[in-house]
Amino acid sequence: DVKVTQSSRYLVKRTGEKVFLECVQDMDHENMFWYRQDPGLGLRLIYFSYDVKMKEKGDIPEGYSVSREKKERFSLILESASTNQTSMYLCASTENPGVTDTQYFGPGTRLTVL
Amino acid sequence: DAKTTQPNSMESNEEEPVHLPCNHSTISGTDYIHWYRQLPSQGPEYVIHGLTSNVNNRMASLAIAEDRKSSTLILHRATLRDAAVYYCILIGRDDKIIFGKGTRLHILP
């Protein structure tokens, strides 16, 4: 069975802290994605990666960076967390870049920045 | 901006069919129509996708209008476990996936 795991379900951090959100997939997928989900706004793409050490900005990359040192792991980094980054963060992966490919999502990390 | 328009919410009775509409009037010829759903406290999960022809799988059916400007996700017999937010998404050659706000489906026992 396909599996995408995220390091934490719930996380509470303080303003200004550096935050790491980890995502791991066990399907040998090429592509990985980070979204945030906010009430009334749906899912918005932050960053994605089509290969190791490769990254592309999504729709809302400001305030975030990513790292993909290994194929199975895609990390989202908040260099200096702010309260407006309180959100649900979702990681996803797909096998191939393509219009018919299925996205597999992790369970999400609910981050609260105080 | 999302390229699809869906009702904010819908209600249906348990064990009855549910038809979830989606408008995508600006769809291009190479865009595929995908549906995902998100159960409470979970990440979204794939439901079905199609290009031009109607599609069926074990979860649902997808009916696509002849001009492809709209589609309908059909749950043949809704259960309480189908209560979720349903997202209709267009995925094209640029691979950018834009989720809209979706339709929150309530199932009444």
Side-chain angles (χ1 to χ4, degrees):
Chain A
D1 244 4
V2 163
K3 201 162 184 187
V4 178
T5 56
Q6 295 182 229
S7 50
S8 307
R9 291 301 302 269
Y10 299 94
L11 207 53
V12 180
K13 296 292 182 181
R14 295 206 174 274
T15 301
E17 279 192 77
K18 191 169 186 176
V19 181
F20 291 88
L21 302 182
E22 303 285 341
C23 175
V24 177
Q25 49 92 5
D26 65 359
M27 300 158 284
D28 201 35
H29 281 177
E30 301 288 333
N31 315 300
M32 297 186 75
F33 306 80
W34 274 107
Y35 296 87
R36 64 177 282 177
Q37 183 174 32
D38 300 288
L41 296 176
L43 276 78
R44 293 179 290 167
L45 182 63
I46 304 171
Y47 266 98
F48 59 101
S49 168
Y50 284 148
D51 202 352
V52 174
K53 295 193 187 293
M54 178 273 181
K55 61 185 179 184
E56 291 283 347
K57 292 180 180 179
D59 298 315
I60 51 163
E62 297 77 20
Y64 303 95
S65 63
V66 290
S67 171
R68 190 149 181 220
E69 297 295 319
K70 293 185 178 181
K71 191 176 185 181
E72 67 270 18
R73 188 179 298 268
F74 192 35
S75 303
L76 181 69
I77 303 156
L78 287 66
E79 295 288 343
S80 177
S82 63
T83 54
N84 62 13
Q85 291 178 310
T86 292
S87 186
M88 169 70 86
Y89 290 88
L90 289 157
C91 174
S93 72
T94 64
E95 184 173 2
N96 297 301
V99 293
T100 62
D101 216 31
T102 299
Q103 287 219 327
Y104 295 93
F105 283 85
T109 296
R110 186 166 294 282
L111 173 67
T112 302
V113 182
L114 301 175
Chain B
D1 287 335
K3 296 185 282 186
T4 62
T5 304
Q6 299 176 254
N8 289 333
S9 66
M10 290 182 65
E11 271 185 4
S12 180
N13 293 319
E14 196 177 9
E15 298 188 7
E16 289 187 359
V18 181
H19 291 229
L20 295 162
C22 181
N23 287 319
H24 28 79
S25 57
T26 59
I27 191 169
S28 75
T30 55
D31 284 344
Y32 276 74
I33 303 158
H34 287 241
W35 283 81
Y36 282 75
R37 72 177 186 181
Q38 188 171 18
L39 302 170
S41 303
Q42 295 187 27
E45 63 176 350
Y46 168 81
V47 177
I48 201 166
H49 76 272
L51 182 63
T52 55
S53 304
N54 295 343
V55 184
N56 299 298
N57 67 19
R58 64 173 180 82
M59 289 180 73
S61 295
L62 176 60
I64 301 172
E66 199 169 330
D67 64 5
R68 300 210 325 127
K69 294 186 176 182
S70 66
S71 61
T72 303
L73 179 72
I74 303 164
L75 307 179
H76 294 286
R77 195 163 164 267
T79 70
L80 295 176
R81 289 182 297 176
D82 291 321
V85 178
Y86 286 79
Y87 295 97
C88 168
I89 307 156
L90 301 184
I91 301 181
R93 289 190 187 280
D94 65 3
D95 298 323
K96 206 165 185 182
I97 300 170
I98 302 175
F99 281 77
K101 298 178 187 178
T103 296
R104 184 172 295 277
L105 177 64
H106 303 272
I107 304 296
L108 305 175

